[in-house]
Amino acid sequence: MLFEDTYRTIERPTEGIFRDRGSKFLAFAFPLSSENELKNILSQLKTEHPKANHHCWAMRLGIDRSVFRLNDDGEPSGTAGRPILNTLLSRDLTNIIVVVVRYFGGTLLGVPGLINAYKTATEEALRQAKIIEKTVNDIYTIEFDYLQMNAIMKIIKDDGLIILNQTFDNSYSIQVSIRKTQVNQTLAKFDKLNTVVKYGYTL
């Protein structure tokens, strides 16, 4: 199987709402690039909705879509985080978190009612979202001599690389983003120029 170098996520944060028998479910979807962002998103929503009864969520991370976490935040096990996550799975979305904030309306909804509510609220937020397809890119820093500048810039232009950073002080270096499926072909061109190529990370 060929390496899959694209994934689906949302372009920007969106919101959705679902009501059932007095309870209000506010869903907030955010694009996510690392688990470190999780804490800030949750604390922000808890600050904005301090009187809510539950802040349930599910996140999915990684290009191979293998990292996920979920939290029922006091709701019966499997009735909140799991339906949120299942909705993300069915849409094949990754690098995303959806938090559903619940205000209890006084009537118990039962397990099927809760599952439906968290699922529907999540779907409402995703309905507002623009789904985008992103490529998996490796980040490299290319170090070179001034005389190689034109040759380096030609490779960058020909291969459609994205320049993330550049330093032209005592030494010359450019940080570029290369689509994973074309890494070998592009690096071979830089190698021919005897540049120093340093791998950074995958984006």
Side-chain angles (χ1 to χ4, degrees), residues 126-192:
L126 295 179
R127 197 168 286 137
Q128 308 302 320
K130 182 179 180 185
I131 308 295
I132 55 172
E133 190 168 85
K134 297 182 94 170
T135 57
V136 181
N137 294 347
D138 282 349
I139 311 304
Y140 286 87
T141 301
I142 318 299
E143 296 176 356
F144 55 94
D145 296 328
Y146 171 70
L147 293 175
Q148 296 172 303
M149 173 75 81
N150 288 342
I152 294 289
M153 296 313 278
K154 184 175 187 317
I155 295 171
I156 288 171
K157 183 172 182 284
D158 289 350
D159 287 21
L161 309 185
I162 298 163
I163 297 176
L164 302 177
N165 208 346
Q166 41 195 350
T167 309
F168 302 137
D169 293 334
N170 303 328
S171 61
Y172 291 81
S173 73
I174 292 182
Q175 189 183 52
V176 291
S177 171
I178 309 172
R179 185 166 175 170
K180 204 166 185 74
T181 48
Q182 71 178 67
V183 162
N184 292 341
Q185 161 199 330
T186 300
L187 293 188
K189 294 181 183 180
F190 286 128
D191 282 345
K192 281 181 185 168

